[in-house]
Amino acid sequence: MRIFYSETHRRHFPQGELNGGELVTPFERPSRVEYVLARLKERGLTDINAPDAPDMAAIRALCDPGYLDFLETAWDDWVAEGFRGEIIAASFPVRRMQMGRPPRNIDGKVGYYCLAAETAITNGTWEAALSSAASAQSATRAVIAGEKAAFALCRPPGHHATADMYGGYCFLNNAALAAEQLRASGAGKVAVLDIDFHHGNGTQDIFYDRGDVFFASLHGAPEDAFPYFLGYADETGTGDGDGATANFPMAPGTPYSEWSQALDQAIARIRAHGAEALVVSLGVDAYKDDPISFFKLDSPDFTDAGRRIATLGLPTVFCMEGGYAIEAVGINTVNVLEGFEGA
Ligand code: OKP
Ligand code: ZN
């Protein structure tokens, strides 16, 4: 399997994540990628490539122009304002406030474009986010060119990012870019299968009113888990997208026996929808020892999940999302890929 990854991810490494009222070293840290790379090599998956330059036209087609301008200039504007820390949002447009008016002031703008305050922006975040998107785009290009599957080792992750908001460690929605690219290459219908522990609110939001991109997500129930405000089972799409969203929220402590049934249901829905290509939002934070999640999957379960995904028989782009049990993130990620490849 061809693998794409950019060292530029390192440019995004905030010192602080707002966690329980403390600033802690972010769970989403550069070493995650090192663990995945090391395991790939250990297992003989050595076709590792740097991505081409990001396709900016595709990123502009997906995202709000004001949001992209904001991401590109946020650090300079923050420093120019005289702020000395990393960029953390503190004021948000919420119920009964003006939702459609981005402020001029950078502190206000940050809140306008942010959906969760744990995620800090630093010098280099924009470049890293672009390089992550570029990996997804190059992996998708390989699949369009005829590869059965490719793995984009994206960092930072993408599935919480909407067309106009960052948060949940995400800035640009890599999986959505891949899905759009597959559509543009001629696939009539595409599916995104999100197996990250957290609901892929960004991906869902981007495709919610479209019937050409099916979205299925397995995740911790919103009553109990981030992102809290989306991911209920009764969210099924709207307009042309009516019936093209399928959410499988699950309770704390969910074991693989139950999770795998939801996976089979998601797979059946994707098959029934008639998808011709697949994007997998590949987070491995459903793992039992993940520090910020609450499912109980063990490492061999990820191999089995990969096997089940392969039964779709679709050209597949894997985009890395979460996974924070640092010692196991490589094993679990590569297990999905090997299960898929029939190893
Ligand atoms: C990103 B991905 C700990 C809670 C942090 C944000 C979680 C983002 C997960 N401070 N909440 O879906 O793995
Ligand atoms: Zn996650």
Side-chain angles (χ1 to χ4, degrees), residues 196-199 218-227 230-231 248-252 294-295:
D196 184 281
F197 167 82
H198 301 93
H199 178 245
L218 279 57
H219 51 269
E223 294 92 334
D224 302 306
F226 183 89
L230 209 65
F248 299 88
M250 287 169 275
F294 57 57
F295 290 164

PDB file of all heavy atoms in Angstrom, residues 196-199 218-227 230-231 248-252 294-295:
ATOM      1  N   ASP A 196     -12.993   6.706  13.855  1.00  0.00           N
ATOM      2  CA  ASP A 196     -12.401   7.392  15.005  1.00  0.00           C
ATOM      3  C   ASP A 196     -13.399   7.355  16.166  1.00  0.00           C
ATOM      4  O   ASP A 196     -14.616   7.375  15.950  1.00  0.00           O
ATOM      5  CB  ASP A 196     -12.093   8.846  14.610  1.00  0.00           C
ATOM      6  CG  ASP A 196     -11.379   9.617  15.708  1.00  0.00           C
ATOM      7  OD1 ASP A 196     -12.036  10.065  16.679  1.00  0.00           O
ATOM      8  OD2 ASP A 196     -10.155   9.779  15.598  1.00  0.00           O
ATOM      9  N   PHE A 197     -12.895   7.321  17.383  1.00  0.00           N
ATOM     10  CA  PHE A 197     -13.784   7.304  18.563  1.00  0.00           C
ATOM     11  C   PHE A 197     -14.716   8.519  18.597  1.00  0.00           C
ATOM     12  O   PHE A 197     -15.849   8.426  19.102  1.00  0.00           O
ATOM     13  CB  PHE A 197     -12.961   7.274  19.860  1.00  0.00           C
ATOM     14  CG  PHE A 197     -13.806   7.560  21.076  1.00  0.00           C
ATOM     15  CD1 PHE A 197     -14.561   6.547  21.670  1.00  0.00           C
ATOM     16  CD2 PHE A 197     -13.889   8.844  21.602  1.00  0.00           C
ATOM     17  CE1 PHE A 197     -15.375   6.821  22.760  1.00  0.00           C
ATOM     18  CE2 PHE A 197     -14.689   9.122  22.698  1.00  0.00           C
ATOM     19  CZ  PHE A 197     -15.431   8.103  23.283  1.00  0.00           C
ATOM     20  N   HIS A 198     -14.251   9.651  18.099  1.00  0.00           N
ATOM     21  CA  HIS A 198     -15.050  10.879  18.179  1.00  0.00           C
ATOM     22  C   HIS A 198     -15.907  11.058  16.921  1.00  0.00           C
ATOM     23  O   HIS A 198     -15.481  10.706  15.820  1.00  0.00           O
ATOM     24  CB  HIS A 198     -14.127  12.094  18.352  1.00  0.00           C
ATOM     25  CG  HIS A 198     -13.268  12.021  19.579  1.00  0.00           C
ATOM     26  ND1 HIS A 198     -11.984  11.497  19.558  1.00  0.00           N
ATOM     27  CD2 HIS A 198     -13.514  12.385  20.855  1.00  0.00           C
ATOM     28  CE1 HIS A 198     -11.472  11.552  20.781  1.00  0.00           C
ATOM     29  NE2 HIS A 198     -12.383  12.085  21.589  1.00  0.00           N
ATOM     30  N   HIS A 199     -17.079  11.609  17.101  1.00  0.00           N
ATOM     31  CA  HIS A 199     -17.949  11.849  15.945  1.00  0.00           C
ATOM     32  C   HIS A 199     -17.286  12.808  14.956  1.00  0.00           C
ATOM     33  O   HIS A 199     -16.734  13.841  15.354  1.00  0.00           O
ATOM     34  CB  HIS A 199     -19.278  12.455  16.395  1.00  0.00           C
ATOM     35  CG  HIS A 199     -20.195  12.782  15.255  1.00  0.00           C
ATOM     36  ND1 HIS A 199     -20.571  14.066  14.952  1.00  0.00           N
ATOM     37  CD2 HIS A 199     -20.768  11.977  14.341  1.00  0.00           C
ATOM     38  CE1 HIS A 199     -21.370  14.036  13.881  1.00  0.00           C
ATOM     39  NE2 HIS A 199     -21.507  12.782  13.498  1.00  0.00           N
ATOM     40  N   LEU A 218     -18.960   5.845  13.616  1.00  0.00           N
ATOM     41  CA  LEU A 218     -19.065   5.076  14.870  1.00  0.00           C
ATOM     42  C   LEU A 218     -18.360   5.888  15.946  1.00  0.00           C
ATOM     43  O   LEU A 218     -17.182   6.230  15.777  1.00  0.00           O
ATOM     44  CB  LEU A 218     -18.338   3.729  14.735  1.00  0.00           C
ATOM     45  CG  LEU A 218     -19.035   2.557  14.035  1.00  0.00           C
ATOM     46  CD1 LEU A 218     -19.444   2.905  12.622  1.00  0.00           C
ATOM     47  CD2 LEU A 218     -18.119   1.332  14.039  1.00  0.00           C
ATOM     48  N   HIS A 219     -19.047   6.180  17.046  1.00  0.00           N
ATOM     49  CA  HIS A 219     -18.424   7.106  18.001  1.00  0.00           C
ATOM     50  C   HIS A 219     -19.066   7.063  19.386  1.00  0.00           C
ATOM     51  O   HIS A 219     -20.170   6.540  19.558  1.00  0.00           O
ATOM     52  CB  HIS A 219     -18.513   8.534  17.447  1.00  0.00           C
ATOM     53  CG  HIS A 219     -19.903   8.902  17.011  1.00  0.00           C
ATOM     54  ND1 HIS A 219     -20.360   8.707  15.741  1.00  0.00           N
ATOM     55  CD2 HIS A 219     -20.943   9.421  17.699  1.00  0.00           C
ATOM     56  CE1 HIS A 219     -21.619   9.093  15.640  1.00  0.00           C
ATOM     57  NE2 HIS A 219     -22.002   9.533  16.829  1.00  0.00           N
ATOM     58  N   GLY A 220     -18.377   7.649  20.327  1.00  0.00           N
ATOM     59  CA  GLY A 220     -18.911   7.828  21.665  1.00  0.00           C
ATOM     60  C   GLY A 220     -20.137   8.726  21.598  1.00  0.00           C
ATOM     61  O   GLY A 220     -20.130   9.751  20.914  1.00  0.00           O
ATOM     62  N   ALA A 221     -21.203   8.345  22.279  1.00  0.00           N
ATOM     63  CA  ALA A 221     -22.468   9.085  22.216  1.00  0.00           C
ATOM     64  C   ALA A 221     -22.271  10.539  22.641  1.00  0.00           C
ATOM     65  O   ALA A 221     -21.526  10.822  23.579  1.00  0.00           O
ATOM     66  CB  ALA A 221     -23.492   8.411  23.114  1.00  0.00           C
ATOM     67  N   PRO A 222     -22.951  11.465  21.934  1.00  0.00           N
ATOM     68  CA  PRO A 222     -22.765  12.890  22.224  1.00  0.00           C
ATOM     69  C   PRO A 222     -23.128  13.286  23.657  1.00  0.00           C
ATOM     70  O   PRO A 222     -22.578  14.258  24.183  1.00  0.00           O
ATOM     71  CB  PRO A 222     -23.671  13.603  21.209  1.00  0.00           C
ATOM     72  CG  PRO A 222     -24.446  12.556  20.499  1.00  0.00           C
ATOM     73  CD  PRO A 222     -23.806  11.247  20.753  1.00  0.00           C
ATOM     74  N   GLU A 223     -24.001  12.531  24.291  1.00  0.00           N
ATOM     75  CA  GLU A 223     -24.315  12.843  25.705  1.00  0.00           C
ATOM     76  C   GLU A 223     -23.069  12.720  26.576  1.00  0.00           C
ATOM     77  O   GLU A 223     -22.979  13.337  27.632  1.00  0.00           O
ATOM     78  CB  GLU A 223     -25.369  11.873  26.255  1.00  0.00           C
ATOM     79  CG  GLU A 223     -26.745  11.981  25.620  1.00  0.00           C
ATOM     80  CD  GLU A 223     -26.934  11.035  24.446  1.00  0.00           C
ATOM     81  OE1 GLU A 223     -25.926  10.645  23.799  1.00  0.00           O
ATOM     82  OE2 GLU A 223     -28.089  10.685  24.162  1.00  0.00           O
ATOM     83  N   ASP A 224     -22.123  11.890  26.129  1.00  0.00           N
ATOM     84  CA  ASP A 224     -20.974  11.539  26.966  1.00  0.00           C
ATOM     85  C   ASP A 224     -19.623  11.943  26.399  1.00  0.00           C
ATOM     86  O   ASP A 224     -18.622  11.850  27.103  1.00  0.00           O
ATOM     87  CB  ASP A 224     -20.936  10.011  27.163  1.00  0.00           C
ATOM     88  CG  ASP A 224     -22.220   9.479  27.786  1.00  0.00           C
ATOM     89  OD1 ASP A 224     -22.605   9.986  28.851  1.00  0.00           O
ATOM     90  OD2 ASP A 224     -22.837   8.580  27.188  1.00  0.00           O
ATOM     91  N   ALA A 225     -19.571  12.306  25.134  1.00  0.00           N
ATOM     92  CA  ALA A 225     -18.259  12.441  24.495  1.00  0.00           C
ATOM     93  C   ALA A 225     -18.172  13.632  23.541  1.00  0.00           C
ATOM     94  O   ALA A 225     -19.155  13.990  22.872  1.00  0.00           O
ATOM     95  CB  ALA A 225     -17.915  11.158  23.731  1.00  0.00           C
ATOM     96  N   PHE A 226     -16.966  14.193  23.472  1.00  0.00           N
ATOM     97  CA  PHE A 226     -16.650  15.223  22.487  1.00  0.00           C
ATOM     98  C   PHE A 226     -17.007  14.711  21.095  1.00  0.00           C
ATOM     99  O   PHE A 226     -16.769  13.543  20.821  1.00  0.00           O
ATOM    100  CB  PHE A 226     -15.145  15.546  22.558  1.00  0.00           C
ATOM    101  CG  PHE A 226     -14.719  16.654  21.643  1.00  0.00           C
ATOM    102  CD1 PHE A 226     -14.750  17.973  22.073  1.00  0.00           C
ATOM    103  CD2 PHE A 226     -14.303  16.383  20.344  1.00  0.00           C
ATOM    104  CE1 PHE A 226     -14.360  19.004  21.222  1.00  0.00           C
ATOM    105  CE2 PHE A 226     -13.921  17.408  19.490  1.00  0.00           C
ATOM    106  CZ  PHE A 226     -13.948  18.722  19.923  1.00  0.00           C
ATOM    107  N   PRO A 227     -17.538  15.523  20.172  1.00  0.00           N
ATOM    108  CA  PRO A 227     -17.761  16.970  20.259  1.00  0.00           C
ATOM    109  C   PRO A 227     -19.092  17.379  20.894  1.00  0.00           C
ATOM    110  O   PRO A 227     -19.455  18.553  20.784  1.00  0.00           O
ATOM    111  CB  PRO A 227     -17.677  17.412  18.798  1.00  0.00           C
ATOM    112  CG  PRO A 227     -18.141  16.235  18.009  1.00  0.00           C
ATOM    113  CD  PRO A 227     -17.729  15.030  18.786  1.00  0.00           C
ATOM    114  N   LEU A 230     -23.182  17.069  18.330  1.00  0.00           N
ATOM    115  CA  LEU A 230     -23.583  16.461  17.065  1.00  0.00           C
ATOM    116  C   LEU A 230     -23.241  14.970  17.145  1.00  0.00           C
ATOM    117  O   LEU A 230     -22.391  14.569  17.946  1.00  0.00           O
ATOM    118  CB  LEU A 230     -22.829  17.117  15.890  1.00  0.00           C
ATOM    119  CG  LEU A 230     -23.554  17.143  14.526  1.00  0.00           C
ATOM    120  CD1 LEU A 230     -24.809  18.003  14.570  1.00  0.00           C
ATOM    121  CD2 LEU A 230     -22.633  17.631  13.423  1.00  0.00           C
ATOM    122  N   GLY A 231     -23.906  14.159  16.335  1.00  0.00           N
ATOM    123  CA  GLY A 231     -23.581  12.740  16.271  1.00  0.00           C
ATOM    124  C   GLY A 231     -24.674  11.832  16.799  1.00  0.00           C
ATOM    125  O   GLY A 231     -24.444  10.641  17.019  1.00  0.00           O
ATOM    126  N   PHE A 248     -23.714   6.044  14.510  1.00  0.00           N
ATOM    127  CA  PHE A 248     -23.774   4.921  15.437  1.00  0.00           C
ATOM    128  C   PHE A 248     -23.128   5.333  16.760  1.00  0.00           C
ATOM    129  O   PHE A 248     -21.982   4.970  17.046  1.00  0.00           O
ATOM    130  CB  PHE A 248     -23.072   3.704  14.826  1.00  0.00           C
ATOM    131  CG  PHE A 248     -23.714   3.231  13.539  1.00  0.00           C
ATOM    132  CD1 PHE A 248     -23.317   3.766  12.324  1.00  0.00           C
ATOM    133  CD2 PHE A 248     -24.730   2.283  13.564  1.00  0.00           C
ATOM    134  CE1 PHE A 248     -23.925   3.355  11.135  1.00  0.00           C
ATOM    135  CE2 PHE A 248     -25.338   1.864  12.381  1.00  0.00           C
ATOM    136  CZ  PHE A 248     -24.939   2.404  11.160  1.00  0.00           C
ATOM    137  N   PRO A 249     -23.862   6.115  17.563  1.00  0.00           N
ATOM    138  CA  PRO A 249     -23.338   6.518  18.870  1.00  0.00           C
ATOM    139  C   PRO A 249     -23.376   5.345  19.838  1.00  0.00           C
ATOM    140  O   PRO A 249     -24.334   4.566  19.812  1.00  0.00           O
ATOM    141  CB  PRO A 249     -24.322   7.623  19.306  1.00  0.00           C
ATOM    142  CG  PRO A 249     -25.596   7.333  18.572  1.00  0.00           C
ATOM    143  CD  PRO A 249     -25.208   6.666  17.286  1.00  0.00           C
ATOM    144  N   MET A 250     -22.321   5.219  20.642  1.00  0.00           N
ATOM    145  CA  MET A 250     -22.263   4.087  21.576  1.00  0.00           C
ATOM    146  C   MET A 250     -21.822   4.542  22.966  1.00  0.00           C
ATOM    147  O   MET A 250     -21.163   5.556  23.136  1.00  0.00           O
ATOM    148  CB  MET A 250     -21.335   3.002  21.016  1.00  0.00           C
ATOM    149  CG  MET A 250     -21.969   2.255  19.839  1.00  0.00           C
ATOM    150  SD  MET A 250     -20.819   1.193  18.952  1.00  0.00           S
ATOM    151  CE  MET A 250     -20.092   2.355  17.810  1.00  0.00           C
ATOM    152  N   ALA A 251     -22.199   3.732  23.954  1.00  0.00           N
ATOM    153  CA  ALA A 251     -22.051   4.095  25.365  1.00  0.00           C
ATOM    154  C   ALA A 251     -20.636   3.831  25.880  1.00  0.00           C
ATOM    155  O   ALA A 251     -19.887   3.045  25.292  1.00  0.00           O
ATOM    156  CB  ALA A 251     -23.050   3.296  26.196  1.00  0.00           C
ATOM    157  N   PRO A 252     -20.296   4.469  27.000  1.00  0.00           N
ATOM    158  CA  PRO A 252     -19.015   4.172  27.663  1.00  0.00           C
ATOM    159  C   PRO A 252     -18.865   2.673  27.920  1.00  0.00           C
ATOM    160  O   PRO A 252     -19.828   2.009  28.309  1.00  0.00           O
ATOM    161  CB  PRO A 252     -19.112   4.950  28.980  1.00  0.00           C
ATOM    162  CG  PRO A 252     -20.034   6.089  28.679  1.00  0.00           C
ATOM    163  CD  PRO A 252     -21.021   5.565  27.659  1.00  0.00           C
ATOM    164  N   PHE A 294     -13.482   6.113  25.517  1.00  0.00           N
ATOM    165  CA  PHE A 294     -14.036   5.134  26.444  1.00  0.00           C
ATOM    166  C   PHE A 294     -14.580   3.843  25.813  1.00  0.00           C
ATOM    167  O   PHE A 294     -15.442   3.197  26.366  1.00  0.00           O
ATOM    168  CB  PHE A 294     -15.084   5.781  27.355  1.00  0.00           C
ATOM    169  CG  PHE A 294     -16.244   6.466  26.661  1.00  0.00           C
ATOM    170  CD1 PHE A 294     -17.060   5.796  25.769  1.00  0.00           C
ATOM    171  CD2 PHE A 294     -16.540   7.796  26.960  1.00  0.00           C
ATOM    172  CE1 PHE A 294     -18.154   6.407  25.174  1.00  0.00           C
ATOM    173  CE2 PHE A 294     -17.637   8.435  26.362  1.00  0.00           C
ATOM    174  CZ  PHE A 294     -18.441   7.736  25.466  1.00  0.00           C
ATOM    175  N   PHE A 295     -14.080   3.469  24.646  1.00  0.00           N
ATOM    176  CA  PHE A 295     -14.432   2.151  24.122  1.00  0.00           C
ATOM    177  C   PHE A 295     -13.362   1.142  24.543  1.00  0.00           C
ATOM    178  O   PHE A 295     -12.327   1.516  25.103  1.00  0.00           O
ATOM    179  CB  PHE A 295     -14.566   2.182  22.590  1.00  0.00           C
ATOM    180  CG  PHE A 295     -15.775   2.943  22.094  1.00  0.00           C
ATOM    181  CD1 PHE A 295     -15.861   3.340  20.754  1.00  0.00           C
ATOM    182  CD2 PHE A 295     -16.828   3.270  22.931  1.00  0.00           C
ATOM    183  CE1 PHE A 295     -16.966   4.040  20.285  1.00  0.00           C
ATOM    184  CE2 PHE A 295     -17.935   3.968  22.467  1.00  0.00           C
ATOM    185  CZ  PHE A 295     -18.001   4.358  21.138  1.00  0.00           C
TER     186      PHE A 295
END
